[in-house]
Each structure stands twice: as C-alpha cells, then as structure tokens.
Amino acid sequence: MSVKPVIIGLAAAVAIGLSFSVTAADTSSWKEKTVSGETDEAMHLEPDYENGRDVYEVCSACHMPEGWGFTDGTFPQLAGQHRPVLIKQLADIRALNRDNPTMYPFALPESIGDAQALADVTAYIAKLKMNPENGKGEWAEGTPEFEQGKKLYADNCVRCHGDHGEGNVEKFYPRIEGQHYAYMLRQFEWIRDGKRRNANPDMVEQIKNFTDKDMKMVINYISRVPVKKEDLAPSADWKNPDFD
C-alpha cells in the first residue's frame, strides 16, 4: 500500500540534489550504496503514479509544480531525470550517505513516506516535461571558452554522461542535459573538492585537476546542449495541470 505524504508547506521541499558524486575516503562502499538498501527496495517496487503525484506536492514548494527548480541554481531541475538517479539521491539523503541537512527532515519517511513513496514520487517526476529555458553559462557557441568546454566534455565526461548529457539509467549516471548551469557548477565543485560523500570515485579522480576556469567552461558547454524537443514543455510559461 502506498504511504501518503505529510504535507508540510513551503519549507518542505528543499532541494533534492541530483548528482555527479564521491569522496576518496568513501570510495570502497560506493557501489554497495548504489545497488543495495532502500535504493534497491524502491527500484523493485511497482510505482503508484497517482500517489507519486500526491507525494510530489511536498517537493513542489521548492522544485516548483513543474519540477523545474530555479535557473539561478538554488534548486535543481528534477523534471525528466532518470528514476534510478532520483531514487538513489533520496535514499542517500535519508541514509545520511549524502549531506543535505536542509532537505534531510523532509526526505524522511515521516514526511514523505516509505520506500514505496520513493518508488511512486520518482516515477511521477521522471515523466514531467523539462524547462525549455534552463539556466545557461555565459559563453555562447563559437566562443573560445565554449569550444574548450566542448573539448573538456569529450575528453572527460562523455564516457559516463553520454554524447549530449543523457546519462545512463543502468549505472545511475544522471541526465545533465537541460540542468541549470549554476546548480551543476556548484555540484561539480563540491565533487572535485570532496564535499559530495555519495559521489562516484571515478568522477572525483577524473576531475581532480580541473581548474575553476575548466570547471566553468565544461559546465557552460553542457548547459547549452539542446534537449530533444519531445522531452521539453511547450513553452517556458507552461504550468503543470496537476497543481492548477
């Protein structure tokens, strides 16, 4: 049976952060945390889409009814993210494998429900259409910084995140195309500097020598990669009819 959420108002949906992630001190347990525990349980449950919509009401106060977050990066865009990635990040926050003290109380079972609720709400979020005007970096296509970011992405990121940032469902690699520049930049820096305890150690190793300028250029590039039209909302003015 699905567990209905406790609706707790504006503070209740503080950012789910998505993820590229890890710290060197915790590398040995990353794979276990990815495939076991509540993540594994929720992945094997049949989602109740209607209950997922109800649970998402808690999240919508910060991530917005459309799941778009904010272009300034305060809260990430969740819409269209791979369901396994969403499950893992929620489960990691609940299990204190990812530090997010603001969100932690609102991710707990008493706030949103048990593993079934995770299965439900992530199924709902994954089907939301994405913001067609995500937050982007400062360098337009054709500038030297854009081209260098493109090269950095090809040399360092494409193997895991895909040719256009589509991610990998089976390996829990997040979809980063269409994500807000400022949010990705913050997460990239935290991963590089060892502040994301649930990050993939392979990524930490891959980006450890990135300068701040490298970081900005590669994130600028991926923030500008076009998302397939069928995955986008019809306009930036679109409103989620489930919350009218």
Side-chain angles (χ1 to χ4, degrees), residues 5-128:
V6 177
I7 305 303
I8 45 186
L10 182 62
V14 212
I16 272 180
L18 302 177
S19 141
F20 343 56
S21 345
V22 145
T23 68
D26 204 22
T27 57
S28 63
S29 61
W30 185 83
K31 186 172 287 187
E32 284 184 7
K33 291 175 183 177
T34 300
V35 299
S36 64
E38 193 173 36
T39 297
D40 185 62
E41 181 182 359
M43 285 287 296
H44 287 87
L45 292 170
E46 183 69 27
D48 178 337
Y49 188 81
E50 295 302 315
N51 187 56
R53 180 181 59 191
D54 291 343
V55 175
Y56 186 71
E57 189 171 347
V58 174
C59 312
S60 68
C62 289
H63 291 288
M64 308 304 290
E66 296 70 40
W68 292 355
F70 290 90
T71 57
D72 68 1
T74 305
F75 301 111
Q77 172 158 229
L78 304 184
Q81 184 57 255
H82 300 312
R83 185 166 167 261
V85 172
L86 294 167
I87 289 174
K88 181 183 186 316
Q89 294 307 312
L90 271 168
D92 279 359
I93 290 169
R94 282 153 71 111
L96 296 176
N97 294 328
R98 174 177 173 176
D99 299 319
N100 193 327
T102 308
M103 183 173 173
Y104 175 71
F106 308 116
L108 291 174
E110 51 264 39
S111 296
I112 62 171
D114 59 9
Q116 181 67 61
L118 297 192
D120 299 346
V121 72
T122 54
Y124 178 80
I125 293 168
K127 290 185 178 181
L128 288 171

Side-chain angles (χ1 to χ4, degrees), residues 183-208:
Y183 177 77
M184 287 193 288
L185 187 64
R186 184 169 72 249
Q187 296 305 310
F188 191 105
E189 182 175 14
W190 286 356
I191 292 164
R192 184 195 64 178
D193 297 346
K195 296 179 182 178
R196 278 287 300 266
R197 290 193 302 110
N198 74 337
N200 187 323
D202 292 339
M203 180 173 179
V204 176
E205 179 66 22
Q206 189 72 33
I207 69 172
K208 66 182 182 182

Side-chain angles (χ1 to χ4, degrees), residues 212-230:
D212 288 353
K213 181 71 177 290
D214 291 337
M215 180 173 64
K216 291 176 182 177
M217 288 188 295
V218 74
I219 297 301
N220 174 79
Y221 167 73
I222 196 61
S223 75
R224 291 177 173 274
V225 170
V227 177
K228 291 185 295 185
K229 187 175 181 179
E230 57 265 34

Side-chain angles (χ1 to χ4, degrees), residues 153-184:
Y153 185 84
D155 291 346
N156 296 276
C157 312
V158 73
R159 182 172 61 89
C160 293
H161 287 288
D163 290 338
H164 53 90
E166 69 273 21
N168 186 305
V169 176
E170 289 76 23
K171 294 184 178 181
F172 295 85
Y173 297 152
R175 182 181 196 179
I176 55 176
E177 59 177 346
Q179 185 57 265
H180 304 309
Y181 168 81
Y183 177 77
M184 287 193 288

